[in-house]
């Protein structure tokens, strides 16, 4: 192995794939959207990234069209001791988080970033601030990801209590069903749900008070294109909504598997609002 290849190997960071919609879409290798953006940030600084499991499946990313999901799923970054000084990685991750929060994206728990350092055959875990995480803290975070998969699987199996209303409406991209809708209508100008019945009274009150304002799509993006460079969005280093010399990065979603629809506080699309409530 050449010295250049050895240097690249030492600078490789491994992200862990996570598919909350595994029950319905088991064949896809998925990472949450924010994981992808952090991968792009590391790549732009000259580091190599890969996603485990390292198999032949094309990488896809999770798209939840709301503004509440930043770090709602843990980001797990693994690397070997000696690749890079931990403080340098902490600086990169913290700056990235600050930039996202500055842009108005709501922050989740700080410990939802797990830095897994392999040293002498043992894994040591830290949060984005460099504070050690106990085995129990890491276990709880990883179990929360499994719990989300199970909750979604349970929701898929739930039978509608209302005839002709076959589309479950979730609460904030969780497995909690709070209503049912008639099948989605596809039009040239978008997707529409013309009839929704909310079966959860608390949710209905929150909608009427204006706390829950719109609908949000959760799904897996199979193919998307960066408008700035016309490349596959996963492969390029542009990040959606960021400004570059060529202009603002806009992503065209070419293919998506819709997994669920949620009622949310802050829909990413301002026109995805609820009416007649």
């Amino acid at each position: 192995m050449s010295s250049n290849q050895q240097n690249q190997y030492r600078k490789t960071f491994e992200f862990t794939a996570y598919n909350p919609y595994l029950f319905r879409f088991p064949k896809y290798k998925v990472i949450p959207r924010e994981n992808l953006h952090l991968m792009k940030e590391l790549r732009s600084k000259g580091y190599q990234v890969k996603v485990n499991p390292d198999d032949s499946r094309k990488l896809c990313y999770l798209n939840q069209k709301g503004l509440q999901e930043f770090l709602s799923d843990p980001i797990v970054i693994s690397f070997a001791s000696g690749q890079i000084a931990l403080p340098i990685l902490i600086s990169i991750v913290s700056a990235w988080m600050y930039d996202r929060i500055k842009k108005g994206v709501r922050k989740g728990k700080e410990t939802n970033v797990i830095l897994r350092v392999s040293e002498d055959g043992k894994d040591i875990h830290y949060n984005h601030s460099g504070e050690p995480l106990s085995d129990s803290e890491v276990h709880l975070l990883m179990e929360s990801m499994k719990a989300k998969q199970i909750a979604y699987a349970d929701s898929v199996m739930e039978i509608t209590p209302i005839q002709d209303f076959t589309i479950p409406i979730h609460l904030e991209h969780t497995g909690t069903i709070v209503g049912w809708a008639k099948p989605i209508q596809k039009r040239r100008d978008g997707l529409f749900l013309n009839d929704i019945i909310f079966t959860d009274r608390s949710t209905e009150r929150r909608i009427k008070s204006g706390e829950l304002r719109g609908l949000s799509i959760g799904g897996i993006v199979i193919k998307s294109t960066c408008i700035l460079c016309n490349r596959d969005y996963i492969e390029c280093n542009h990040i959606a909504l960021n400004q570059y010399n060529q202009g603002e990065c806009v992503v065209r979603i070419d293919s998506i598997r819709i997994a669920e629809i949620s009622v949310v506080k802050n829909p990413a699309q301002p026109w995805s609002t609820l009416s007649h409530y």
Side-chain angles (χ1 to χ4, degrees):
M1 183 182 294
S2 69
S3 60
N4 184 53
Q5 287 174 318
Q6 289 175 340
N7 187 48
Q8 286 185 341
Y9 174 76
R10 286 195 297 269
K11 287 186 173 183
T12 298
F13 294 97
E14 300 179 4
F15 285 68
T16 301
Y18 172 61
N19 180 6
Y21 305 129
L22 184 67
F23 181 80
R24 188 173 176 189
F25 301 112
K27 70 177 183 178
Y28 295 109
K29 178 176 167 181
V30 183
I31 55 171
R33 182 173 53 195
E34 295 301 337
N35 291 37
L36 173 61
H37 290 170
L38 182 52
M39 286 171 57
K40 287 170 176 270
E41 183 72 14
L42 289 168
R43 281 199 311 238
S44 71
K45 296 184 181 301
Y47 299 105
Q48 304 293 312
V49 296
K50 71 176 186 178
V51 178
N52 290 325
D54 190 13
D55 52 31
S56 60
R57 288 179 296 168
K58 182 184 183 298
L59 184 63
C60 307
Y61 65 92
L62 180 65
N63 196 55
Q64 294 178 338
K65 301 286 285 185
L67 300 179
Q68 300 297 113
E69 78 274 9
F70 181 55
L71 294 187
S72 61
D73 298 315
I75 297 178
V76 183
I77 310 173
S78 303
F79 63 102
S81 175
Q83 282 186 348
I84 180 174
L86 183 62
I88 295 176
L89 179 59
I90 290 169
S91 175
I92 294 172
V93 173
S94 295
W96 168 78
M97 289 178 62
Y98 175 77
D99 183 66
R100 297 296 291 154
I101 295 164
K102 186 174 66 175
K103 285 182 169 62
V105 182
R106 187 172 177 177
K107 181 177 65 172
K109 294 182 179 179
E110 292 182 352
T111 52
N112 274 11
V113 176
I114 304 173
L115 308 178
R116 177 185 291 153
V117 185
S118 179
E119 186 171 357
D120 298 327
K122 182 180 179 181
D123 288 339
I124 305 172
H125 299 91
Y126 302 89
N127 67 9
H128 88 282
S129 298
E131 299 167 345
L133 296 174
S134 67
D135 290 344
S136 60
E137 287 178 304
V138 174
H139 177 75
L140 285 174
L141 286 170
M142 302 307 289
E143 286 299 308
S144 71
M145 298 169 78
K146 292 181 182 177
K148 198 168 182 179
Q149 290 175 325
I150 293 170
Y152 176 72
D154 289 343
S155 73
V156 170
M157 298 298 292
E158 192 162 334
I159 299 173
T160 177
I162 309 168
Q163 187 177 2
D164 297 329
F165 286 72
T166 56
I167 306 298
I169 303 297
H170 294 74
L171 178 64
E172 294 280 6
H173 298 296
T174 66
T176 302
I177 295 176
V178 294
W180 296 85
K182 288 186 176 180
I184 298 172
Q185 294 184 12
K186 295 183 180 180
R187 302 179 186 171
R188 294 183 63 183
D189 52 344
L191 303 176
F192 290 84
L193 287 174
N194 287 332
D195 294 290
I196 303 176
I197 295 177
F198 288 96
T199 53
D200 180 75
R201 296 294 169 246
S202 174
T203 299
E204 196 169 33
R205 286 194 295 271
R206 293 172 67 189
I207 293 170
K208 289 179 178 179
S209 71
E211 181 185 356
L212 296 172
R213 300 188 299 110
L215 297 176
S216 171
I217 291 174
I220 298 172
V221 178
I222 309 302
K223 186 178 185 304
S224 57
T225 303
C226 171
I227 299 301
L228 287 183
C229 61
N230 205 35
R231 294 175 59 196
D232 187 315
Y233 183 61
I234 284 180
E235 300 299 328
C236 80
N237 285 338
H238 296 121
I239 296 176
L241 303 183
N242 281 9
Q243 292 289 337
Y244 300 89
N245 291 336
Q246 311 97 305
E248 181 181 289
C249 174
V250 176
V251 181
R252 184 185 72 234
I253 295 179
D254 303 305
S255 177
I256 185 172
R257 301 291 183 269
I258 297 177
E260 50 93 3
I261 298 173
S262 286
V263 58
V264 297
K265 292 180 181 178
N266 297 304
Q269 307 293 353
W271 55 86
S272 298
T273 56
L274 293 164
S275 59
H276 307 300
Y277 265 93

